[in-house]
Amino acid sequence: MFDHLLRLQQLYLEGNKLSGKIPLGLFKCKELEYISLADNRLEGILPKEIGNLTMLRNLYLDNNLFEGEIPSNMFDHLPRLQQLYLEGNKLSGKIPLGLFKCKELVFISLADNTLEGILPKEIGNLTMLTKLYLYYNLFEGEIPSNMFDRLPRLQELYLEGNKLFGKIPLGLFKCKELEYISLADNRFEGILPKEIGNLTMLRNLYLYNNLFEGEIPSNMFDHLPGLQQLYLEGNKLSSKIPLGLFKCKELVFISLADNRLEGILPKEIGNLKMLRSLYLDNNLFEGEIPSNMFDHLPRLQQLYLKGNKLSGKIPLGLFKCKELEDICFSSNRLEGILPKEIGNLTMLKTLYLDINLFEGEIPSDMFDHLSQLQVLFLGENKLSGKIPLGLFKCKELEDISLAHNRLEGILPNEIGNLTTLKSLYLDNNLFEGVIPNQIGDLLNLEQLFLSNNLLKGHLPPFISNLTRLEYLFLSNNTLTGHIPITLGNLRYLKALDIANNDLSSTLSSSRSSFLSALANCSDLAYLSFARNPLISGYLPASIGNLSVSLLYFDASSCSISGRIPGEIGNWNPNNKLRYLALNENQLEGILPLSLINCSELVLLNVANNNLSDTFPHWLGMLPKLQALILRSNRFHGSIQVSSTTFSFSRLQMVDLSHNDFTGLLPTEFFQNLKALKEEVGHEYDLLSYSVLLTIKGLVLEFKIKALMPIFTSIDLSDNGFHGEIPKAVGELRMLHALNLSSNCLTGPIPTSFGKLTALESLDLSFNKLSGRIPSELTNLTFLEVLWLSNNNLIGPIPSGKQFDTFEDDSYLGNLGLCGLPLPKECNNDEIPEPAQDEKDHGNGISFIWKLAMMGYGCGMVLGISMAYIVFTTGRPWWLVRMIERDLRNKVSSWFGKKRK
């Protein structure tokens, strides 16, 4: 095509669908000055023959599919080249040094490729350069200190999205004509240079998502009158906002989010009359929002103050900002009645006021004129009363959260008017009555949360019409009737929770069983129908047909009988199952060996069934198993330990109580419990689970959810173990509770127990232990429950520290014991030595924290729930105090903000 176009000077072919390689004949056109082949699908290596076009001034090859390295000699004979656009390809390797021979270059864009290496200092030789775009590549290392010394005309510098680190070279601030700087999304560090203030032409400054720290220089903004956009979010900046910032009267966009800034919000923000977007979220600002801060911000559109410590009421001046589209005050301490004036913001699209202290009723007319409202989050406040019917006039609504309040009444039929609704969170309120059929009109609904209310009636048949539904949570209500098999029509379902109701179903291999129907839900990751006592039948072999994505399966506290099918461990070749709870049923037989395929399993709970099996030592091959609950079955025989690589090394919660185990306590088993000897890393988890523990005769149910410390425990009580307690138990320094009661153990209490520095509960009662109580136990300064009754212990009871807090019932049934708190006095040769104070060497509890948010394996953060404890008998004050102590600093936000 080009073989005979020898005088061709300009070629414009951009924005087509051209593919293949550039024909080599093009490079016979020696007079070419301008080439644009941008925005096509051209591919292959960049032709080195481009270097033959010695007259070339402008080269636009951006947004194609070119790959490989840029030819090293491509630029050696292009002395007139002024503009080079190669962005948006797949180019790799380093920038060829020959490029810097092109002394007339004004504009370079190599952005959005995979170029790598150190930034060449030779860039500084291009003294005519005005624009340099190298963003979104793989450049690393420090910026050469002298790179900017001879670039007096540089106006735009974009280096974001690389792996650059170190400090900003001071030579950059010699480029007095700079208008745009972006060094965002790198690893730059140090104090922000005050010399930024010398760039008086600066309009946009993007330094977000780096490692800058310390105070923002107080005079940095004094001479930046043209500054329009300031992005400093995602660093480690501290102290207060410098007041000089508010001299920049042209500011349109400010983001100081995700730092450590503190103090009262400056009222001077109100001087920035051009301001449209203000992001100050996730800092440490406190106090009330200045009452007049918004009086002169008529153009304000986005306001994000979430995740601070702001208190008081929302200032009414805010509602003068008639152009407001997005308000986010989540996760603060704002209080009072919701202002009805919110309804004056007719442009409002998103309103986030969740996780505050707002109370009272929602104003009845607040929504009457918010026709553009798309997102409403009022969850986790103290709101009461009914949902105002005006809300259902907001026909553009896509997401509503009123969860975790005190709202009441019947769910309004008018909810069916919101046909664009995608998510509806009404859980944890006091709503009553039946679920309205009109919800069946919400055909775009993806998430429906109605858990923890007072709803009754049947599962409505319309639910099967919601074919886009991904999350359905109806647990903890009083729903009745048969579980419909039409749930299987929800093919996109990822999580189903109908636990804690009075629903009925007969599980079987029949297609009329809802469990069989759920095999159609290929993305199902979370399934719980626990605590529905009217669910009976047996687990069919077809359970193996459930989703290959299944992470959580809870069928506890139903009336399920029969055997655990072997297919339960065959949900997919790369089994992802993490939580399996079948406790509180009538299951019998043995644990299926197929569970060994569940390499991701974290918790196995089969407590309170009729299983009859030997100890499943082969579960030790599961590398992530943390909780093994076999209590109250008919497991028997001795505890054998497999010789596998893992062999229970991650186990932190063991309950084998109320079984028929016999034999010696195996030393090797305790030696393998590495997670109880030292802190081990744990993956963040998006699920939650509950377990029962027996401590001092009390059955405690632990609901382990968001930010709950893992309560480490071993319970081997009510079995037939005999022999001495292995000294290896004393090496489990991370252990919080140990229960070996009601066995036939003999011999002394190991002195190594004095090393269990995290121990808070110790129950060795109803055995045949002998000898003295080791004085080393006085080192257990966190011990709040001690139960040694009904043994053959002798001698004086140690005194001092925690031992001075225990009552006589801790020691009853040991006729040879003497000393307080027992009435029997010791002889002179039996008087106990008082415990000696020891220096604190940091042996306290070191809890392992686990982030568990109700996202159910999909990566979407849907809610946060604090751990709580339900005590079936009594109130163990020591445990309550422990939990409260370690949850005291719990604060977390449960949704992410999308930035414009």
Side-chain angles (χ1 to χ4, degrees):
M1 175 173 158
F2 301 103
D3 289 352
H4 304 292
L5 301 179
L6 303 181
R7 296 187 178 182
L8 187 64
Q9 295 181 350
Q10 298 184 357
L11 176 64
Y12 295 84
L13 295 177
E14 73 269 13
N16 289 287
K17 298 180 181 179
L18 301 174
S19 58
K21 298 181 179 181
I22 301 176
L24 295 181
L26 175 63
F27 308 113
K28 296 179 181 180
C29 306
K30 302 294 186 179
E31 296 185 16
L32 269 170
E33 297 181 2
Y34 193 111
I35 298 176
S36 180
L37 302 176
D39 298 307
N40 281 289
R41 300 172 185 171
L42 299 171
E43 61 187 11
I45 307 296
L46 287 179
K48 63 182 179 180
E49 289 80 2
I50 291 174
N52 298 336
L53 304 176
T54 56
M55 306 292 288
L56 197 62
R57 293 178 183 270
N58 297 338
L59 179 61
Y60 298 87
L61 300 179
D62 45 304
N63 297 320
N64 278 286
L65 301 173
F66 295 115
E67 59 187 347
E69 297 188 8
I70 302 172
S72 60
N73 59 351
M74 191 171 105
F75 302 102
D76 287 353
H77 304 291
L78 301 181
R80 299 187 181 188
L81 191 62
Q82 295 179 354
Q83 299 201 35
L84 175 64
Y85 285 77
L86 299 180
E87 69 181 78
N89 284 286
K90 300 178 182 179
L91 300 173
S92 58
K94 298 182 179 181
I95 301 175
L97 295 181
L99 175 63
F100 308 113
K101 297 178 182 179
C102 306
K103 301 295 185 180
E104 295 189 17
L105 269 168
V106 174
F107 190 111
I108 297 175
S109 179
L110 304 176
D112 202 11
N113 282 287
T114 54
L115 297 170
E116 61 187 15
I118 307 296
L119 288 180
K121 63 182 179 181
E122 289 81 1
I123 291 175
N125 298 336
L126 304 176
T127 56
M128 304 292 288
L129 197 63
T130 62
K131 298 178 182 179
L132 178 61
Y133 294 174
L134 300 179
Y135 58 86
Y136 296 124
N137 277 286
L138 300 174
F139 295 116
E140 58 187 347
E142 298 188 13
I143 300 176
S145 60
N146 59 351
M147 192 172 105
F148 301 104
D149 288 352
R150 294 187 298 276
L151 300 180
R153 301 186 182 186
L154 191 62
Q155 297 175 1
E156 299 180 14
L157 175 65
Y158 288 86
L159 300 178
E160 76 263 27
N162 284 286
K163 299 179 181 180
L164 301 171
F165 58 81
K167 298 183 179 181
I168 301 176
L170 295 181
L172 175 63
F173 309 113
K174 298 177 181 178
C175 306
K176 301 295 185 180
E177 296 187 17
L178 267 170
E179 297 180 7
Y180 301 93
I181 297 177
S182 180
L183 305 178
D185 285 314
N186 281 287
R187 300 171 188 169
F188 291 111
E189 61 187 14
I191 308 296
L192 286 179
K194 63 182 178 180
E195 291 81 1
I196 291 175
N198 299 336
L199 304 176
T200 56
M201 306 291 288
L202 198 61
R203 293 187 180 183
N204 294 358
L205 179 61
Y206 302 95
L207 300 179
Y208 59 87
N209 294 339
N210 277 287
L211 301 173
F212 295 114
E213 59 187 346
E215 297 185 14
I216 302 173
S218 60
N219 59 351
M220 190 172 109
F221 302 102
D222 289 352
H223 304 291
L224 301 181
L227 190 63
Q228 296 179 357
Q229 298 197 28
L230 176 66
Y231 286 77
L232 298 180
E233 69 183 80
N235 284 285
K236 299 178 182 179
L237 301 173
S238 58
S239 195
K240 299 181 179 181
I241 301 175
L243 295 181
L245 175 63
F246 309 113
K247 298 177 182 179
C248 306
K249 303 293 186 179
E250 301 293 317
L251 270 168
V252 173
F253 191 109
I254 298 176
S255 179
L256 303 176
D258 299 307
N259 281 287
R260 301 170 184 171
L261 299 170
E262 60 188 18
I264 307 296
L265 289 179
K267 62 182 179 180
E268 290 82 0
I269 291 174
N271 299 336
L272 304 176
K273 297 180 181 180
M274 305 293 288
L275 195 63
R276 292 185 181 179
S277 301
L278 178 62
Y279 294 89
L280 300 179
D281 41 308
N282 297 319
N283 279 286
L284 301 173
F285 295 115
E286 58 188 348
E288 296 189 7
I289 302 172
S291 60
N292 60 348
M293 191 171 107
F294 303 103
D295 288 352
H296 304 291
L297 300 180
R299 300 187 181 187
L300 192 64
Q301 294 178 353
Q302 283 86 35
L303 176 62
Y304 283 82
L305 301 179
K306 83 175 180 78
N308 285 286
K309 300 177 182 179
L310 300 173
S311 57
K313 298 182 179 182
I314 299 176
L316 295 181
L318 175 64
F319 308 112
K320 298 178 182 179
C321 306
K322 301 295 185 181
E323 294 187 17
L324 265 170
E325 297 180 2
D326 304 291
I327 297 176
C328 182
F329 289 166
S330 304
S331 300
N332 280 287
R333 300 169 184 171
L334 299 172
E335 60 187 15
I337 306 296
L338 289 179
K340 63 181 179 180
E341 291 82 359
I342 291 174
N344 298 336
L345 303 176
T346 56
M347 306 291 288
L348 200 61
K349 294 181 179 179
T350 65
L351 178 62
Y352 296 96
L353 300 179
D354 52 304
I355 316 178
N356 278 287
L357 301 172
F358 294 114
E359 58 187 348
E361 296 188 8
I362 302 171
S364 60
D365 57 348
M366 190 171 107
F367 302 102
D368 288 352
H369 304 291
L370 301 184
S371 60
Q372 298 187 47
L373 192 64
Q374 297 176 6
V375 178
L376 175 66
F377 276 63
L378 301 180
E380 294 194 55
N381 282 287
K382 300 177 182 179
L383 300 173
S384 58
K386 298 181 179 182
I387 302 175
L389 295 182
L391 175 62
F392 307 111
K393 298 178 182 179
C394 305
K395 300 296 182 66
E396 300 296 317
L397 270 168
E398 296 182 2
D399 302 285
I400 297 177
S401 175
L402 304 177
H404 294 272
N405 280 290
R406 300 169 184 172
L407 298 171
E408 60 187 16
I410 306 296
L411 293 179
N413 293 337
E414 289 81 357
I415 202 168
N417 297 338
L418 305 179
T419 55
T420 60
L421 204 61
K422 293 183 179 179
S423 62
L424 179 61
Y425 306 97
L426 300 178
D427 52 290
N428 292 280
N429 279 288
L430 300 171
F431 294 118
E432 57 188 353
V434 299
I435 301 172
N437 289 330
Q438 286 76 6
I439 289 182
D441 297 330
L442 307 180
L443 299 182
N444 291 303
L445 201 62
E446 297 175 358
Q447 299 159 20
L448 178 59
F449 283 71
L450 300 177
S451 298
N452 294 291
N453 280 288
L454 304 172
L455 299 172
K456 62 183 180 180
H458 291 191
L459 277 181
F462 68 76
I463 286 180
S464 61
N465 298 335
L466 305 177
T467 55
R468 297 187 180 183
L469 206 59
E470 297 180 2
Y471 302 93
L472 178 58
F473 286 79
L474 303 175
S475 59
N476 294 295
N477 284 287
T478 54
L479 299 174
T480 57
H482 204 70
I483 302 173
I485 63 170
T486 52
L487 289 175
N489 296 342
L490 306 178
R491 295 183 179 275
Y492 298 105
L493 199 63
K494 294 179 179 177
L496 174 63
D497 191 348
I498 52 177
N500 276 22
N501 282 287
D502 292 315
L503 298 167
S504 62
S505 181
T506 302
L507 303 183
S508 69
S509 57
S510 169
R511 293 184 179 181
S512 61
S513 168
F514 85 95
L515 194 57
S516 299
L518 289 177
N520 296 328
C521 307
S522 58
D523 294 323
L524 192 63
Y526 180 99
L527 175 59
S528 176
F529 50 90
R531 293 171 292 284
N532 282 284
L534 298 180
I535 296 179
S536 59
Y538 62 91
L539 294 175
S542 59
I543 198 171
N545 297 329
L546 287 177
S547 167
V548 297
S549 304
L550 198 64
L551 300 173
Y552 185 111
F553 184 82
D554 188 353
S556 60
S557 299
C558 293
S559 300
I560 303 171
S561 57
R563 301 171 69 89
I564 302 174
E567 288 77 5
I568 206 165
N570 295 326
W571 268 310
N572 65 77
N574 300 309
N575 201 298
K576 298 179 181 178
L577 187 68
R578 297 180 66 80
Y579 298 89
L580 178 59
L582 300 174
N583 49 295
E584 319 294 328
N585 279 290
Q586 301 161 22
L587 298 169
E588 56 189 31
I590 64 174
L591 284 179
L593 283 171
S594 61
L595 288 175
I596 202 149
N597 298 326
C598 304
S599 60
E600 297 292 316
L601 198 66
V602 172
L603 174 137
L604 175 62
N605 190 349
V606 294
N608 290 85
N609 280 288
N610 298 315
L611 298 173
S612 179
D613 198 355
T614 56
F615 179 71
H617 63 86
W618 40 271
L619 289 175
M621 298 176 64
L622 300 180
K624 298 183 179 181
L625 189 65
Q626 294 179 33
L628 177 61
I629 316 296
L630 306 181
R631 64 176 288 130
S632 298
N633 279 284
R634 289 182 291 168
F635 286 96
H636 54 271
S638 60
I639 297 179
Q640 303 294 326
V641 181
S642 63
S643 57
T644 62
T645 303
F646 307 106
S647 198
F648 302 112
S649 61
R650 288 293 183 102
L651 208 56
Q652 294 179 280
M653 192 176 283
V654 187
D655 191 346
L656 309 183
S657 64
H658 298 275
N659 278 288
D660 298 321
F661 287 115
T662 57
L664 301 175
L665 292 179
T667 298
E668 188 178 358
F669 176 77
F670 296 108
Q671 289 175 334
N672 289 342
L673 300 177
K674 294 180 181 179
L676 293 178
K677 296 181 181 181
E678 58 190 22
E679 290 189 23
V680 293
H682 291 282
E683 302 173 6
Y684 282 152
D685 210 313
L686 299 176
L687 301 175
S688 60
Y689 56 87
S690 64
V691 295
L692 294 174
L693 300 177
T694 302
I695 298 175
K696 199 180 179 181
L698 301 175
V699 180
L700 313 179
E701 181 179 8
F702 283 76
K703 301 284 188 180
I704 301 178
K705 289 183 182 291
L707 295 179
M708 177 71 183
I710 297 176
F711 187 80
T712 59
S713 65
I714 295 177
D715 188 348
L716 305 183
S717 62
D718 283 283
N719 280 287
F721 293 113
H722 64 267
E724 296 191 2
I725 300 173
K727 295 179 181 179
V729 178
E731 299 172 5
L732 308 179
R733 66 183 187 89
M734 308 299 293
L735 191 63
H736 298 147
L738 176 63
N739 189 347
L740 301 179
S741 65
S742 300
N743 281 286
C744 298
L745 300 174
T746 57
I749 299 173
T751 57
S752 62
F753 275 24
K755 300 176 183 179
L756 299 176
T757 50
L759 201 64
E760 304 204 13
S761 174
L762 175 62
D763 189 348
L764 302 178
S765 61
F766 291 96
N767 280 288
K768 299 178 181 179
L769 299 173
S770 58
R772 297 194 175 200
I773 300 173
S775 60
E776 287 84 356
L777 294 187
T778 59
N779 295 332
L780 307 183
T781 54
F782 288 103
L783 192 65
E784 301 204 37
V785 169
L786 178 65
W787 205 241
L788 302 178
S789 59
N790 294 287
N791 279 286
N792 298 319
L793 299 172
I794 62 172
I797 296 173
S799 61
K801 298 182 180 178
Q802 294 299 100
F803 272 76
D804 291 343
T805 68
F806 302 136
E807 299 180 0
D808 59 357
D809 59 354
S810 293
Y811 310 104
L812 295 178
N814 290 280
L815 300 180
L817 286 178
C818 61
L820 294 176
L822 296 178
K824 178 181 178 181
E825 296 182 359
C826 297
N827 300 326
N828 289 335
D829 58 343
E830 293 180 326
I831 295 176
E833 296 182 4
Q836 300 296 318
D837 288 333
E838 298 178 4
K839 293 184 179 180
D840 180 9
H841 294 290
N843 289 328
I845 295 179
S846 180
F847 281 117
I848 302 167
W849 293 80
K850 177 172 70 171
L851 181 63
M853 289 177 285
M854 296 174 64
Y856 304 103
C858 65
M860 186 169 189
V861 183
L862 300 176
I864 185 168
S865 173
M866 200 171 180
Y868 60 91
I869 307 171
V870 177
F871 301 106
T872 57
T873 55
R875 177 178 172 82
W877 54 270
W878 68 274
L879 189 55
V880 174
R881 188 198 309 177
M882 181 195 74
I883 297 298
E884 288 176 348
R885 180 186 68 217
D886 289 283
L887 291 178
R888 197 168 293 149
N889 297 322
K890 173 259 177 195
V891 172
S892 181
S893 174
W894 61 272
F895 68 90
K897 178 187 66 191
K898 292 185 178 179
R899 288 293 167 80
K900 288 193 173 183

